[in-house]
C-alpha cells in the first residue's frame, strides 16, 4: 500500500475558495506551477444536484460517504431521499454550506480517522476529487479501507485521457495576485484510473453532460456491511460540530 499523502492545508485556508463558496460564484481556478489554469465550476457545485448528478446518485448503494463534498449538493440530495449519507471536506466553508442545505458533514480529511470505516457501501469521488493528495493509488487504497467488502466506488474522471501529478494553488481573479501555497493534486482520466485501480473490479463507465464517470468494486465480493451499525455511527455525529483546528478541504 502506498503511504498516504500529507493532506494540504493550503486549500483549507484558501480565501478565494471560501469566498467563492460563500457567494456561490467564481471565478476560481487551480493554477499549476507553469501557469496553466483549470477552471473550477463553483456555480454548479453550489447549485442543487442536476440531472447528471442525480443519475450518479441513483447508482449509489446503501450508506454513502461523499469525499470532498464541497458545498454539499450531493449530500443534500441523498438526504432528501431519506438515504444515510455523510459528507467530509477539509473546508469549513464547505461543511457549513452542506449543513445549511440539510446534510450531515464533518470537517475531515479522507486520510484522517473517519466514522464507519470499513462499513460504507458507496464512496463518491466527484468533481475531480480523484486528484486528492496527488497520488491516485494511495487514495484508492484509502477508499478501499473505508468501503465494506465488495463496496462501490463512483469516481468522476477527467474528460480527457490524462494521468498527471502536479503542484497547484487555488486562485481567484486571474489578475488579482491572490493565491495560496501550492499543494499536490492529480488529474486522472478513466483509462488511467483503471490502471491505478489494482485489486479493484471495474463495474462500469459512462459519460453524461460532458462529464466522465467510472464505477469500481472493492476487493471482496462479500458485502458484509451492517447497515444498522453504519447508520448508528453516522447518527452519533449529528450533534458534533466541526473542529476549527482540523486541516481543511479535500476539494
Amino acid at each position: 500500500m502506498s503511504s498516504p499523502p500529507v493532506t494540504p492545508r493550503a486549500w483549507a485556508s484558501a480565501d478565494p475558495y471560501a469566498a467563492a463558496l460563500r457567494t456561490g460564484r467564481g471565478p476560481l481556478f487551480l493554477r499549476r506551477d507553469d501557469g496553466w489554469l483549470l477552471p473550477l465550476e463553483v456555480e454548479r457545485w453550489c447549485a442543487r444536484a442536476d440531472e447528471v448528478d442525480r443519475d450518479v446518485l441513483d447508482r449509489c448503494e446503501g450508506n454513502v460517504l461523499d469525499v470532498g463534498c464541497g458545498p454539499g449538493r450531493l449530500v443534500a440530495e441523498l438526504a432528501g431521499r431519506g438515504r444515510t449519507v455523510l459528507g467530509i471536506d477539509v473546508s469549513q466553508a464547505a461543511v457549513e454550506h452542506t449543513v445549511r442545505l440539510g446534510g450531515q458533514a464533518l470537517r475531515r480529511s479522507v486520510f484522517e480517522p473517519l466514522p464507519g470505516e470499513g462499513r460504507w457501501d458507496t464512496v463518491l469521488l466527484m468533481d475531480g476529487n480523484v486528484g486528492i493528495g496527488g497520488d491516485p493509488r494511495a487514495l484508492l487504497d484509502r477508499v478501499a479501507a473505508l468501503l465494506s467488502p465488495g463496496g462501490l466506488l463512483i469516481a468522476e474522471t477527467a474528460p480527457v485521457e490524462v494521468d498527471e501529478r502536479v503542484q497547484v494553488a487555488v486562485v481567484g481573479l486571474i489578475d488579482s495576485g491572490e493565491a495560496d501555497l501550492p499543494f499536490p493534486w492529480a488529474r486522472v482520466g478513466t483509462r488511467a484510473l483503471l490502471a491505478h485501480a489494482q485489486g479493484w473490479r471495474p463495474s462500469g463507465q459512462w459519460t453524461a453532460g460532458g462529464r466522465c464517470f467510472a464505477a469500481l468494486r472493492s476487493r471482496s465480493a462479500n458485502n458484509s456491511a451492517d447497515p444498522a451499525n453504519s447508520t448508528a455511527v453516522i447518527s452519533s455525529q449529528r450533534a458534533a460540530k466541526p473542529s476549527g483546528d482540523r486541516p481543511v478541504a479535500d476539494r
Side-chain angles (χ1 to χ4, degrees):
M1 178 182 295
S2 304
S3 299
V6 176
T7 302
R9 293 176 179 265
W11 185 297
S13 60
D15 289 340
Y17 180 67
L21 291 195
R22 290 185 178 114
T23 63
R25 298 190 303 274
L28 196 68
F29 305 88
L30 289 184
R31 185 177 68 197
R32 209 163 54 190
D33 53 11
D34 63 1
W36 181 86
L37 294 169
L38 175 67
L40 301 179
E41 299 181 77
V42 177
E43 288 82 0
R44 180 171 65 81
W45 295 350
C46 290
R48 292 287 181 172
D50 61 20
E51 183 178 357
V52 176
D53 294 329
R54 292 192 296 271
D55 176 68
V56 170
L57 300 183
D58 288 343
R59 301 167 189 256
C60 291
E61 301 170 354
N63 52 72
V64 181
L65 178 67
D66 185 2
V67 174
C69 65
R73 73 189 192 283
L74 305 179
V75 175
E77 173 68 21
L78 284 171
R81 299 182 183 189
R83 300 287 296 275
T84 299
V85 56
L86 176 69
I88 61 167
D89 204 291
V90 293
S91 165
Q92 179 67 31
V95 168
E96 291 173 354
H97 197 286
T98 301
V99 172
R100 284 197 299 272
L101 290 181
Q104 294 187 61
L106 294 176
R107 188 183 183 191
R108 199 75 56 88
S109 162
V110 66
F111 295 106
E112 293 181 292
L114 294 171
E117 295 207 14
R119 298 200 300 275
W120 293 98
D121 298 309
T122 303
V123 169
L124 294 174
L125 287 172
M126 297 283 279
D127 303 326
N129 285 331
V130 289
I132 290 171
D135 185 340
R137 289 191 181 182
L139 180 59
L140 287 170
D141 285 346
R142 176 57 178 149
V143 170
L146 295 171
L147 282 167
S148 59
L152 179 67
L153 165 64
I154 300 179
E156 182 171 355
T157 56
V160 295
E161 284 305 335
V162 62
D163 186 8
E164 65 176 12
R165 275 147 292 287
V166 294
Q167 293 286 316
V168 296
V170 178
V171 299
L173 292 173
I174 299 174
D175 59 356
S176 69
E178 186 178 14
D180 292 273
L181 295 175
F183 56 90
W185 196 251
R187 293 181 67 231
V188 181
T190 299
R191 188 181 307 163
L193 177 67
L194 296 177
H196 288 301
Q198 297 178 357
W200 292 77
R201 178 164 58 89
S203 186
Q205 52 186 279
W206 67 98
T207 61
R211 298 162 64 190
C212 300
F213 304 90
L216 302 169
R217 292 278 177 191
S218 61
R219 291 172 179 81
S220 170
N222 176 24
N223 191 325
S224 59
D226 182 343
N229 288 344
S230 298
T231 301
V233 169
I234 300 169
S235 297
S236 72
Q237 300 294 326
R238 188 181 303 274
K241 295 183 179 179
S243 169
D245 59 359
R246 288 193 179 276
V248 183
D250 283 329
R251 195 170 281 285

